Each structure stands twice: as C-alpha cells, then as structure tokens.
Amino acid sequence: MKMPELPIFARSLTIGFLVAEVWRAAFYLGASFAVTLSEVPIWAKVGVILAGTALCSTYAVKRGALAAAERMARSLRVDLLIAVGIGIWANELASPWLARAHTALKDADPHWAPIVLVLLSAILLSPLIQRYFPRSKKAAPQLYFIADEEIGEERDDLLASEVQAKAFAETVLESGAHPGLVFGVDGPWGVGKTSFINLAERYWKLAEDRVIVCRFEPLRYTSESDLADRMIRDLSAAIQRKVFAPEFRPAVSRYSRLIKGKADVSFLGFKVSLEPGQETVDELLDDIDEVLKRIGRRVIIVVDDLDRLDVKTTNSVLFATRRTFKLSQATYVLCYDTEILAGSKDEDSRVREFLEKFVTVKLSLFVDSSRIRDFLRRDWQREENQLGSIPSDTMLKLGAVLNELADILDGELAAKYLPLVGDLRKVKRFVNAMLLMQLERSDLGRTDFNKRDLINLILLHLNYPGLFRRIYAEETEGRSGTFSVHHEYDAREYRNSAEFSKLAGECQGTAEFLLKQLFDVKALELGNVGSVDEKVLVSRACFNQLPFRNLEGYLKLIVRFATPEPQETFVLYQEAVDKVRKGTPVASILKSPDFHLNQGERAHDQFWRVLVNQAHDFTHSVAEDAIDTLVNYLPCYSSIENEDRGLRPRSIYSLLRLLDRAGWGRTSGRRLTNSPENVVEIAQRIFGEGSHQGKGLLQRLASSDRGVLGWNDLMLFRLQCSADRQGQLYNLQSALIHHQDVGAPTTGLVSKLALMGMRGLSQGVFALFKRVYIDPQRNFFSEVSDVPDSALLGEAWPQIVSQISRRNQTEPGTLSLSQLASSARSIIKSFVIYQLCNSLPPTGSGVGCGLYDESGNSDGGGIARLMNEYVFGVCFNPAIEEDNVFHFLDHCLSHLSSPFFSEREEDGYFASKTGIIGGFDTKKMGLYWTKYGEFIRQKVLGMEERHVITSNYIASYHDDLAGVFTVLDVLADEATAEGSRPDEAV
C-alpha cells in the first residue's frame, strides 16, 4: 500500500485557505468602497461588474482554465476537493488570529478597492490586447523558398505515406502495455521519419482517452548535461497537459534527483553509478507506473532524430530510455538511421547487434522514385497541389526543369540520381537552389540551356562545391580548361583532355557520374565533329570554345544569376524559323520586338543563317516569302565593316544559298529531284522569266531606289554564282548553265562550268549597267562618293555607331565612323568597277564580267573594252568635270601593293604597275596619263591633306602620290612606245 500523498493534500489545503482569505480581503475593500457609490446609477454598477466578469472569464479561457477544470473533473479526485473545502473552513476558524489585519482592511481608504481593481484589470487586459490588437500587415516577401519542415496534415503528404502511417499507428495502439516495448522507425536522412510520426500521431490523438503521446527531441537539448532528467521532465509535462495527476510531479522529481548521480555511460555497457539513497530507482518507477495505471492511460514516448546526435549524447538518450523500461504503461518509438549510428566499420557489427536487442519491432521507411516523380509533375495550378510557401505560378515557371528531373527519375539512370535527389528533402534543396538562382524569372524555354545539363551542374554545385569551384575557375572569363571537350583542327572527333580523364577516375560515386554525364564524350555520344547538330553545339555544357561558350553561360547562370539575352540564344531563331515553316510571314517575325534593328543586326543575321540552313523542306509559298523578304530587307542592313563585313554584303550569300536550297522544285507534294530541268527555276527567278516575270532578282537588286549600293549587291551576287569559287551552290550553278544552254553538261571541269554558267548572267548584269550608267553618261564614282553615311549604316545605325564609339575609346588607333564610311565607299567603287572591267578566266576567284562580249558566245572581252572606255571617257575625264581626276587618283591610291608580296625591304604600301591598274587596260591608263598627267599634277597642288581610306591602310596625297606618279609615267612611256597617240585615251 502506498503512503499517503501528504504534500499534495497540504497544497490543496493551502490553496483553499488562500482563496478564502483573498475573497475576505476583496469583500472588506469592496464593502468600504460600495458606500461611496450610493449615487452611481445601478446600470453603471452592473456594467462594471459584467465587464470585470467578462475580462476574468476571457483571460481564464485563453489561459486554458476550462480545459484544466475539465481535466480535474475527469480525475474524480474528490479527496482533493474536500481538502480545499477544509482549507476554506480553516480560514474561517483562523480569522480571529487575523483580526488585526482584517481590521486594517476594513478601516483602509475606500479608494484602495478601485486601485486594486484597475491594477488587476490592466494586468489581465495587457496580454489580451497584445494578442488581438490589429497589427500592420507585412509586405509579402519577394522570394519564396520551400522550408524543410515536417508535415502534420494529410493534405501536406507529398509522398503518400498516410496509409502506412495509419497502419503503424494502429499497430502501436493495439500492441497493449508491455514493459520495454520499443518500436524502431529506421530510414535515411530526408526520408520523412518525423513527418511519418506526425501522421501517426494524428491517429493516436483520436484515441486520447487511451494514450498520451510524449515527443522527446534530444537534438534540442544537446547542450544540457543530463538528458535523462530532461526526458523525464518532458514526460511529466506531456502527461499533465492531458490529465490531472498532481501526484505525478513529486514522483518524477524524486526520480530525476536520483538518476542525477549516474556516472559515464558506454554505448554498449550502460555502466551506471548512483549515489547512495534510501529509495531505489525501481521503487520510484513503480510509483510513476502506479500513477499511469490510476489515470488509465498509456504513454507513447517518441524519441526523434537519434541519428543526429554524437555518440556520447546518443548513449545518454538510450540510457534514459533503458532505465524506464520498468514502466509497464509506456511504449517507445525510436527514430534513427542505422547506417549513421553504425558509424565506422569497426563499430558496425556491434551497433547493429545492439539495435537488434534494443528495438523490439522495427519498421523501415523507403521513398519510391515514383512518388518523387509524382511530386515533380504535379499540376501546380490545382489548389490542392499548391505549396503554401511558393506561389503556383512560380512552380509553373520551374516546370520545365522539374519535368526533366522527373524524366530522369523515370529513366535508366534513375538509380544513379537517387543519392542526389532520392528523397523530398533533397528535392526541396534542389528547388530552393533554383529559386535562389531566380530561374522562375528566366524563361528557360527561350534559352539554349539543356535542362539535363543544368540539373547536373546544380547537383554538382550543391553536393560537390569544391569540384564546382574548380570548373568555374577553369572555364570562365574566356578560358577553356580541363572539363570542356576539345577538338584539334584536323581531328574528326571531339576529345576529353587527359586531365579530365584522370580527374574523373579519381572521383568516386555520384561525383564521377555527374562529371561524365556533363563532359565525357563517350557518355554524350557526340560522334564526328561534322555530324553534331547545331542544336547540340549551342546547348550542351560540354562545349566551351568560341563560338559556343555554353559552359560559361551555365556557370554564370548558377553563380551570378545571369541569363543570356534572347538575341544571344539559338532557340529564339529556331522558334522563329518554325513559325515561318508553319506559315507566319517572315516580315512579321522581323518586326517583332526581339528583332528590332535598333538593337543591332545580330538577331537578323542569326535568323537568316538558321533559316537558310533549314530551308531544304520549305514549301513554295514559304520559300517565296523568305526570298522576297530577304531582298526587301537588304537596304535595311549595313555595308560598313564593323569587326566583320556588313550584314548587307553577307546577306547576299544567304540569298544565294536560299535560292539553291528552296528556290526550285517544290510542288504541292514532294520536292522534285535536282535535275537541270527542275532547278532551272532558280535561273528564272534571277532573270525574271516564266512565272517570275517582272520579279527578276537582277532588276530588283539594282533597282533605281537602291542606287549604287544596289549595284554592289548585284555584283556580289554575280561573283558568288561562279562555280570556280567553290561556293557549294550546285543547284544554282546548274540552273545558270541549263538556262544558257539546255544541252550543256552540268558536271565536268569546274573552269568550263563556270565559264558557261556565268556568261548569260554577266551579259545580263552588264546590259543593266550600260542602260543605267554608260548610255546616259552617269558617273558611277561620283554617285558612290555622294552616298550618305546613313545609307551605309542601315537601320541599325544607333547600335553600330555606339559600338564604333566604344571601340574608338577602348582601342586607340581604330578607324572612326567617318573613316569606316569612307573606306566602304572606296570598296564599293573598286569592287563594282573591277568586277565589270576585269577579263580574268575562272581560276578560283570567279569569272570576270569583262571576259564576255555584250552578246554571243565568242567571249572576246567586249564588255571590258566598253567599261574601260566608260571609266576613262566619263568617270575620270576632267573635260566633263575637273574633279573627276580625283576619282582617278583615289583609284590609284586605293590599289597600292603590300610589301608582304614583294621583295621590297621598306615597310608600308607602295605604288606598283600591277597594283594601280586595278582591272583596267594598261594601255588605256598610260594614254590617259599622257594626255592629262600635267593637268592632274597642277590640280593636286595644295591637296596634300587629302586621304584615301581602305580596309587595310590609309594613303595620303602628300606621302603616296609621288610613287603613283612615277608608276604612271612608266605606263605612259610604255603606251607611247607602242606608237599610241594621246587622243586615243578618250
């Protein structure tokens, strides 16, 4: 039989006594104050009483007084209620002893009552106001992250653990009360052990009339010296929150004081040293167990995060648990990871054996990759799928990467990725990394990033930061280091560096796997250099050499949160071409914001490049629209050399390739074979024949509204059609030959093919030039000189001017805008006239237009003769305009020879006979100088500051004309020696 609970009864007696005394004091003060309230209306008195009653009731309810009273009532401790009543009776009996104090209260100033009332009201009202007083709403945060918090509700169960948790909870409930019954929940970090217990606890709470759940989290108390004491305190608090058991606290206190004398504890030995005492631990545990039996409840003690503690702390927790095994009303649930507790190999077998003896029933938790996939592929727009911490639209924007990760976990390599993203905690960490990178603000669908490579790099960044730092150091700021693939100039395949192969071999496990998935040429199956698709070249992280600095782009995205501009991505142009292929007009694409020319010409340049490369499957209407639009847009592009040739001259070759690939043979069904009869449509487009009547490219390129720049386009077009230039334009060149002669072969010796194919084209071009310039005696050179800078710059002039200005500031000595424009004019003059004048046969540089006659097949150089007569008789003739001599001198100075190709020892460009001819007839030039030499010498006096700017050098009248005059004197002497008369020049 137990000894009487004297401390508990004494406390109840004291409470009754004090309650009665407080009531008496309040009555005395209130009675004195009531006399002064005789004139106060009754409604005011009642109002104050009701307000005070409401305040006390509200405070009591919020402090849990009703729940405590309910627990006391359910305990049926009538004996303690009697003790309280006895205390009240004792107060009445002891009142004579307190008469002096009572008299002082009666005689006190009546206003003490309202003072005490107001003070108590303020004390009770203060926490209520602090809790319910409206606060200003905080601004919503700009960034959201997924917190790594355990779940407590079924709606938050992302891994579908509800059914298993319910079965486990029911098993624990039905197991009954058995001393030392220990359930073990084993699983790796991040598998959701705490969430699993939370779900199980929901079912245990439904049976709160049978069990009390005590959650002990030793990780919170690792700094305390006595975890056993803390465990008993938490147990006591959990029980007293559920039931009224005043006798439990003294028993727990005695137990706590007793076990504080324990000595060091071994993980396997449990050696305990207790201080001497009259009461044993078993007796105290019997008292605690008796209390549990009396209240009719079992206690489920959950010890979580056991695997997060160090060895010493783990020993203490296990010791505390082991010491309470005598409690028949207690059931234990331990949460741990066996692999973490096992630690080193030396302790592995011993720890596993110990856990087998310690844990009675073991449940192992696993996460199926299918459940992770389901989470990643959720419909985030559905309300039940939304995460409270992250807006659904944010998750939708990350959907491309999340779906790619889900596909990875659904593929053959899923097992390799499970150590990295095999549980929800790791997935949350991955998602948070993407949120930190602000990927939701970047439309990844409009970038070239390969989603799988991005995932691999993020995983490398999260799990192997040292390795990621090395990649960043070696592969950024224009460097190409150990990791990116390489290929030598003459190599057929991409290769990994020897350093990479060594490093990958030194890495182990998932680190090696990620490296190979990112960079190993065998894993990536890149194959031959020429067979790699452009989509792969611009997207895969393994490439990091110009022009594909892909890896650096990935690294900048992860580290600097920097995403490329849309104009820098291949996908922008691919999507645009796909729209064109589906029928969207090319002009509408080029007028969209991403292609505005005020942002520069890069977008148009890349668009035409991608479109031409994929034009082989265009329908007739799509090809027609593309060709027309490209021709129409040529005047919008620049002709100035700005780090590269202007987009206008470069677009001419795009036009030729477009004609070659898509300008022929497309019917309503399949494309016809590229026989000469079918590809001749290309020639019809060029000359404006057949169905293309009135729309010939020759006429359109050199139309009057395009001026001399259109003639530069036309002469480039003509030159690049020459078969000997190896321009990969077989269909176009075959079309020109077939158009010239239906029976002529389209294969054979290249020089003969070029000579045949270029005849009709050259004659057609010259006929146009003759009609526009020769017949009306218009000076081509003068018109080129009058071309404004704006026409040379095109519609992208703001961006081009800005680029040139920046380059002038950062690279002193580079050409200014006006100098570049002057150089462009010099190039146009020289190129157009040279192409029309020269009569060179096809030797690899193209057939000269001057080789042919105006008509016929004799190829007697008639065009060259007519052009020489035109240039010297009109363009250079001072009899028509004196300043025409400057065109002649500028021509000579723009054709100086390089010392690199001569035996001269001095530096600098110089005048030579072969150079200054520039495609003209030597005799014509000599006679011209004989006739006008002296006039020209006089004309240039005082013009020493005049310069001629070319793409290679700047020539001045002051420094270079003397050499030119010397060469011209030689030419004049040679012409005179042949018996030519001066009046034959013009």
Side-chain angles (χ1 to χ4, degrees):
M1 179 180 292
K2 293 176 55 180
M3 293 183 60
E5 301 167 338
L6 296 180
I8 298 174
F9 282 98
R11 186 166 63 245
S12 300
L13 184 68
T14 302
I15 290 173
F17 185 89
L18 292 177
V19 168
E21 187 61 25
V22 170
W23 175 265
R24 188 188 301 275
F27 177 79
Y28 290 154
L29 292 176
S32 300
F33 185 62
V35 177
T36 64
L37 300 178
S38 57
E39 297 181 359
V40 177
I42 187 64
W43 61 266
K45 297 177 182 179
V46 173
V48 172
I49 294 173
L50 292 178
T53 303
L55 177 61
C56 293
S57 301
T58 302
Y59 182 83
V61 170
K62 297 303 179 183
R63 288 299 304 269
L66 292 181
E70 183 182 359
R71 291 198 301 271
M72 294 173 65
R74 288 202 306 263
S75 69
L76 301 177
R77 292 301 300 268
V78 180
D79 51 347
L80 297 182
L81 184 61
I82 293 174
V84 173
I86 294 174
I88 296 174
W89 186 14
N91 179 270
E92 182 66 27
L93 297 176
S95 58
W97 300 343
L98 304 174
R100 181 177 298 178
H102 294 165
T103 301
L105 291 173
K106 292 176 182 179
D107 296 339
D109 190 313
H111 294 90
W112 277 107
I115 291 176
V116 174
L117 179 62
V118 171
L119 177 62
L120 291 176
S121 298
I123 293 174
L124 298 180
L125 193 60
S126 176
L128 295 176
I129 292 176
Q130 294 177 16
R131 181 173 182 178
Y132 294 104
F133 190 83
R135 297 184 178 92
S136 58
K137 295 183 178 180
K138 296 182 178 179
Q142 297 299 311
L143 279 178
Y144 302 85
F145 296 96
I146 305 179
D148 186 19
E149 297 176 345
E150 66 272 11
I151 65 171
E153 301 292 336
E154 182 180 358
R155 59 183 175 84
D156 299 325
D157 182 19
L158 304 177
L159 299 180
S161 303
E162 176 71 15
V163 175
Q164 188 179 18
K166 179 180 179 181
F168 176 75
E170 292 175 347
T171 300
V172 174
L173 283 177
E174 300 301 326
S175 62
H178 300 285
L181 182 61
V182 179
F183 289 87
V185 179
D186 188 2
W189 287 357
V191 77
K193 296 187 291 294
T194 301
S195 298
F196 179 83
I197 294 300
N198 289 344
L199 294 175
E201 188 177 357
R202 293 178 63 248
Y203 292 97
W204 292 333
K205 288 181 178 179
L206 298 177
E208 60 181 5
D209 58 331
R210 297 165 55 192
V211 297
I212 298 172
V213 180
C214 172
R215 299 290 293 268
F216 179 58
E217 300 177 2
L219 192 62
R220 298 171 55 189
Y221 310 118
T222 53
S223 61
E224 298 189 13
S225 58
D226 198 332
L227 287 177
D229 176 53
R230 171 53 65 180
M231 182 177 181
I232 299 302
R233 289 178 183 274
D234 285 1
L235 175 62
S236 171
I239 293 175
Q240 293 185 70
R241 280 195 299 269
K242 297 297 181 181
V243 297
F244 179 69
E247 69 275 27
F248 191 79
R249 188 182 297 274
V252 170
S253 298
R254 297 200 313 275
Y255 175 79
S256 178
R257 287 194 300 270
L258 184 62
I259 65 174
K260 280 184 179 179
K262 65 182 181 297
D264 294 336
V265 182
S266 171
F267 185 79
L268 298 174
F270 295 101
K271 298 179 180 179
V272 181
S273 175
L274 299 177
E275 295 179 355
Q278 296 179 351
E279 190 174 28
T280 66
V281 172
D282 290 341
E283 291 174 347
L284 289 176
L285 290 175
D286 287 339
D287 290 344
I288 296 175
D289 200 40
E290 185 66 29
V291 173
L292 294 175
K293 290 179 180 179
R294 186 190 63 74
I295 63 179
R297 306 286 183 89
R298 283 174 55 209
V299 176
I300 299 176
I301 304 174
V302 179
V303 182
D304 199 0
D305 292 330
L306 194 61
D307 48 7
R308 292 176 178 266
L309 306 175
D310 57 54
V311 176
K312 183 177 180 181
T313 308
T314 303
N315 292 342
S316 299
V317 174
L318 292 177
F319 166 74
T321 305
R322 182 69 174 268
R323 294 298 295 167
T324 59
F325 275 2
K326 189 174 179 62
L327 298 175
S328 62
Q329 297 301 110
T331 300
Y332 300 87
V333 178
L334 303 183
C335 301
Y336 58 89
D337 180 2
T338 301
E339 303 304 322
I340 299 298
L341 291 179
S344 64
K345 296 182 180 180
D346 296 337
E347 295 288 333
D348 183 89
S349 58
R350 300 175 61 192
V351 170
R352 295 180 191 277
E353 182 180 351
F354 168 75
L355 288 175
E356 290 179 3
K357 295 179 180 179
F358 194 87
V359 176
T360 311
V361 182
K362 177 183 175 181
L363 172 69
S364 295
L365 295 183
F366 301 91
V367 176
D368 295 333
S369 60
S370 59
R371 295 180 178 178
I372 299 293
R373 294 198 304 270
D374 293 341
F375 168 75
L376 296 171
R377 289 173 174 159
R378 296 176 85 177
D379 183 1
W380 297 105
Q381 290 181 321
R382 295 177 59 186
E383 184 176 355
E384 62 270 22
N385 285 345
Q386 295 180 9
L387 296 176
S389 59
I390 301 181
S392 59
D393 62 332
T394 299
M395 295 302 292
L396 284 172
K397 292 175 182 177
L398 299 177
V401 180
L402 297 180
N403 286 327
E404 181 65 26
L405 182 57
D407 292 341
I408 289 175
L409 295 177
D410 203 20
E412 297 179 355
L413 299 176
K416 298 286 188 179
Y417 282 94
L418 288 180
L420 301 168
V421 287
D423 59 63
L424 198 57
R425 173 174 294 156
K426 294 172 182 175
V427 172
K428 289 178 178 179
R429 187 181 178 208
F430 177 83
V431 173
N432 285 338
M434 291 195 296
L435 292 171
L436 183 62
M437 294 159 51
Q438 302 179 22
L439 285 188
E440 80 283 0
R441 298 184 182 180
S442 306
D443 188 355
L444 290 179
R446 300 194 65 191
T447 66
D448 297 331
F449 293 124
N450 180 278
K451 308 301 184 300
R452 185 160 300 202
D453 282 352
L454 180 59
I455 289 171
N456 289 332
L457 280 168
I458 293 176
L459 293 175
L460 203 63
H461 175 55
L462 291 175
N463 297 279
Y464 303 98
L467 191 56
F468 183 87
R469 292 189 195 105
R470 179 173 176 181
I471 297 174
Y472 187 86
E474 293 190 17
E475 302 288 349
T476 56
E477 299 183 4
R479 294 184 289 267
S480 296
T482 300
F483 301 91
S484 55
V485 299
H486 304 271
H487 84 275
E488 302 299 332
Y489 177 76
D490 56 347
R492 299 182 59 186
E493 297 181 346
Y494 290 100
R495 298 177 182 176
N496 290 116
S497 64
E499 293 82 358
F500 173 80
S501 301
K502 180 181 179 182
L503 177 63
E506 293 174 352
C507 295
Q508 297 180 352
T510 52
E512 179 186 9
F513 170 73
L514 289 176
L515 284 178
K516 290 186 174 180
Q517 288 297 301
L518 283 165
F519 307 115
D520 187 77
V521 293
K522 293 181 179 178
L524 296 173
E525 300 179 350
L526 292 180
N528 293 335
V529 173
S531 64
V532 180
D533 190 87
E534 186 176 9
K535 294 180 181 179
V536 175
L537 291 173
V538 301
S539 63
R540 298 311 298 261
C542 61
F543 299 108
N544 204 37
Q545 291 183 323
L546 290 175
F548 307 110
R549 295 287 302 174
N550 305 343
L551 180 54
E552 183 167 3
Y554 283 94
L555 298 174
K556 294 294 185 182
L557 173 66
I558 295 173
V559 176
R560 305 296 181 192
F561 317 143
T563 54
E565 293 295 328
Q567 291 78 8
E568 298 176 2
T569 64
F570 174 79
V571 69
L572 172 68
Y573 311 110
Q574 183 61 60
E575 290 178 351
V577 171
D578 291 341
K579 291 179 181 178
V580 170
R581 187 179 282 110
K582 294 176 182 177
T584 302
V586 176
S588 66
I589 297 290
L590 298 181
K591 291 177 182 178
S592 63
D594 288 331
F595 291 89
H596 281 172
L597 282 171
N598 57 10
Q599 303 174 21
E601 296 178 333
R602 173 181 169 80
H604 282 236
D605 188 14
Q606 295 299 313
F607 168 77
W608 289 119
R609 181 183 61 80
V610 176
L611 181 140
V612 170
N613 287 340
Q614 302 179 20
H616 59 277
D617 61 347
F618 282 2
T619 62
H620 180 272
S621 60
V622 172
E624 193 80 19
D625 177 52
I627 294 170
D628 288 344
T629 305
L630 179 53
V631 173
N632 292 336
Y633 262 82
L634 286 176
C636 301
Y637 301 146
S638 67
S639 301
I640 286 181
E641 292 190 2
N642 181 29
E643 297 181 350
D644 193 359
R645 287 195 307 160
L647 180 57
R648 183 165 183 169
R650 283 188 284 119
S651 297
I652 296 298
Y653 187 63
S654 297
L655 175 61
L656 290 165
R657 293 185 62 205
L658 190 57
L659 289 169
D660 185 77
R661 293 186 172 209
W664 60 275
R666 174 59 74 177
T667 65
S668 58
R670 61 181 179 83
R671 178 185 288 277
L672 301 175
T673 59
N674 63 336
S675 63
E677 296 79 12
N678 292 328
V679 300
V680 75
E681 182 185 352
I682 300 175
Q684 295 172 353
R685 288 181 181 273
I686 294 174
F687 294 103
E689 300 172 355
S691 61
H692 304 282
Q693 186 76 34
K695 299 184 295 182
L697 291 177
L698 299 185
Q699 290 80 6
R700 293 179 64 187
L701 290 174
S703 60
S704 59
D705 59 313
R706 302 194 180 202
V708 293
L709 296 183
W711 280 99
N712 189 61
D713 297 337
L714 181 56
M715 298 314 297
L716 277 170
F717 182 92
R718 190 208 73 90
L719 174 64
Q720 293 174 352
C721 288
S722 185
D724 66 314
R725 292 181 60 86
Q726 304 296 320
Q728 306 297 320
L729 301 172
Y730 173 77
N731 295 324
L732 183 147
Q733 291 152 2
S734 296
L736 291 175
I737 295 173
H738 189 75
H739 180 268
Q740 177 70 23
D741 183 354
V742 176
T746 56
T747 58
L749 191 62
V750 172
S751 60
K752 291 183 178 180
L753 297 176
L755 192 64
M756 173 66 74
M758 294 295 288
R759 181 178 295 115
L761 181 59
S762 299
Q763 291 171 345
V765 169
F766 178 74
L768 284 174
F769 188 86
K770 184 174 182 292
R771 184 172 69 247
V772 174
Y773 285 100
I774 298 178
D775 292 345
Q777 300 286 287
R778 290 169 57 183
N779 192 327
F780 181 81
F781 286 82
S782 296
E783 293 189 12
V784 174
S785 299
D786 293 337
V787 172
D789 291 355
S790 58
L792 295 170
L793 291 170
E795 293 185 7
W797 67 267
Q799 185 72 14
I800 296 174
V801 170
S802 176
Q803 290 176 354
I804 295 172
S805 177
R806 287 197 301 269
R807 189 165 64 248
N808 292 155
Q809 294 175 2
T810 58
E811 302 177 23
T814 54
L815 297 181
S816 65
L817 175 61
S818 61
Q819 291 174 322
L820 288 171
S822 179
S823 173
R825 295 185 187 97
S826 296
I827 292 172
I828 293 172
K829 293 175 185 177
S830 299
F831 176 75
V832 172
I833 298 301
Y834 176 80
Q835 289 301 316
L836 289 166
C837 285
N838 92 81
S839 55
L840 294 177
T843 57
S845 299
V847 182
C849 189
L851 178 66
Y852 302 101
D853 294 326
E854 282 191 80
S855 61
N857 301 329
S858 60
D859 302 339
I863 293 177
R865 289 191 294 273
L866 290 172
M867 280 301 302
N868 275 273
E869 292 174 1
Y870 163 71
V871 171
F872 287 103
V874 176
C875 300
F876 295 163
N877 192 349
I880 298 176
E881 173 63 46
E882 289 187 359
D883 286 345
N884 284 348
V885 297
F886 294 116
H887 296 317
F888 173 71
L889 295 177
D890 289 348
H891 164 80
C892 294
L893 290 175
S894 64
H895 287 79
L896 300 181
S897 299
S898 171
F900 182 80
F901 299 103
S902 69
E903 298 179 356
R904 294 168 60 99
E905 296 182 357
E906 61 269 23
D907 296 331
Y909 285 79
F910 65 96
S912 67
K913 186 169 67 172
T914 56
I916 65 172
I917 293 300
F920 295 136
D921 181 74
T922 304
K923 183 178 179 180
K924 283 285 185 181
M925 183 173 283
L927 294 176
Y928 173 86
W929 183 248
T930 300
K931 184 173 182 179
Y932 298 112
E934 289 303 320
F935 172 79
I936 294 174
R937 292 178 190 271
Q938 296 299 319
K939 185 69 175 178
V940 298
L941 294 176
M943 304 294 294
E944 289 82 1
E945 299 302 321
R946 185 180 175 100
H947 292 80
V948 174
I949 302 172
T950 70
S951 57
N952 296 320
Y953 61 87
I954 299 177
S956 72
Y957 277 38
H958 179 273
D959 296 329
D960 299 299
L961 270 186
V964 171
F965 290 164
T966 301
V967 174
L968 289 173
D969 289 338
V970 173
L971 292 176
D973 291 342
E974 291 178 353
T976 303
E978 292 180 11
S980 300
R981 297 189 302 273
D983 56 358
E984 292 180 349
V986 180

